[in-house]
Amino acid sequence: MIPLKDSTKARNFPIVNITLIIINIAVFAYQLMLNQQELIAFVHRFGVIPQVYTTYGPVALLVYQPMALFPLFTSMFVHGSFVHIIGNMLYLWVFGDNIEDKLGKFKFIMFYFAAGLIGNFAHIAANPTSAVPTIGASGAVAGVLGAYFLAFPRAKVLALVPIGFFLTITTVPAILFLVLWFFLQLISGLTSIGAGQMVAWWAHIGGFVAGASLWLLLKPENLKVTS
């Protein structure tokens, strides 16, 4: 299912959410100007390579390779294809404004990066020997979905839904949409263990759980909000 819009209207202009989307698009536009060799070097420099973190450990990284910590954050702004960035930015556009509206701008940006960071750690834990760079905002965006799941259980999502060979636009409960989304990530993550991962499923799973947990920590009273 592809979300198009939700029924929850933000009260304030989502400047942080829109800025994040603009930065992601700007970085991707820059990537399009690179040749193949430059792009590979760019992805290896700014992407998360699990093997780096499991080989050295956090203390050794801090002492000997502190710059290796930056990809844990920069990877959130690098994407591998048009489908990759459009998917992530669409989900962020639909769901992110409402979480920013409830948390406030400063808490939202801290929340976003924390969820993305935890998502990256989850991917590293699931793929400790991988030398393949991981890129994308998926972990952070999944955190937004996890928070939305708790904050707006009665909201509706207008979505593009595949039915056989056809696509139809319909309205579904947000809680059902997000449960199905999480279930697909979980099944994909479990079935990919030990087989290598082309998609960072555990970053999605870790980010979603982190987002729900951070929501409870940062704004527990918002569990009463149901629309």
Side-chain angles (χ1 to χ4, degrees):
M1 293 188 294
I2 301 173
L4 301 176
K5 63 179 294 187
D6 69 323
S7 62
T8 307
K9 304 298 181 183
R11 296 167 298 177
N12 302 297
F13 185 74
I15 183 64
V16 173
N17 199 57
I18 289 177
T19 300
L20 287 169
I21 293 172
I22 291 173
I23 294 174
N24 274 279
I25 293 173
V27 172
F28 187 72
Y30 172 76
Q31 290 177 237
L32 294 176
M33 295 187 290
L34 302 177
N35 61 42
Q36 187 66 21
Q37 186 175 358
E38 291 171 334
L39 181 59
I40 291 173
F42 184 85
V43 169
H44 276 77
R45 180 179 181 183
F46 295 106
V48 170
I49 302 176
Q51 191 180 66
V52 171
Y53 302 92
T54 55
T55 299
Y56 293 97
V59 175
L61 281 173
L62 284 171
V63 175
Y64 301 109
Q65 292 190 339
M67 295 300 291
L69 299 176
F70 285 98
L72 292 169
F73 297 96
T74 58
S75 61
M76 301 180 204
F77 296 97
V78 183
H79 289 82
S81 67
F82 279 102
V83 172
H84 193 196
I85 189 170
I86 290 172
N88 278 337
M89 294 305 100
L90 180 58
Y91 272 80
L92 187 57
W93 170 263
V94 172
F95 298 104
D97 59 335
N98 304 115
I99 302 304
E100 177 183 345
D101 195 42
K102 293 300 181 182
L103 289 180
K105 294 173 177 55
F106 179 75
K107 281 186 179 181
F108 177 69
I109 193 65
M110 294 298 103
F111 164 91
Y112 182 86
F113 284 118
L117 184 62
I118 294 171
N120 279 333
F121 284 145
H123 175 72
I124 292 169
N127 303 270
T129 62
S130 175
V132 178
T134 301
I135 55 176
S138 302
V141 174
V144 170
L145 302 186
Y148 195 100
F149 176 76
L150 294 180
F152 304 100
R154 295 185 183 177
K156 305 290 184 181
V157 176
L158 184 68
L160 193 63
V161 180
I163 300 178
F165 295 102
F166 303 97
L167 292 173
T168 185
I169 296 177
T170 187
T171 300
V172 298
I175 195 167
L176 174 62
F177 183 96
L178 296 172
V179 164
L180 289 174
W181 181 91
F182 182 77
F183 178 75
L184 290 173
Q185 313 309 305
L186 184 60
I187 293 299
S188 299
L190 291 173
T191 55
S192 66
I193 292 177
Q197 297 186 27
M198 295 301 293
V199 178
W201 301 113
W202 288 97
H204 303 177
I205 297 165
F208 187 95
V209 174
S213 302
L214 289 168
W215 179 262
L216 292 173
L217 178 65
L218 294 172
K219 205 74 173 179
E221 66 268 28
N222 276 353
L223 289 176
K224 299 176 182 178
V225 179
T226 58
S227 63

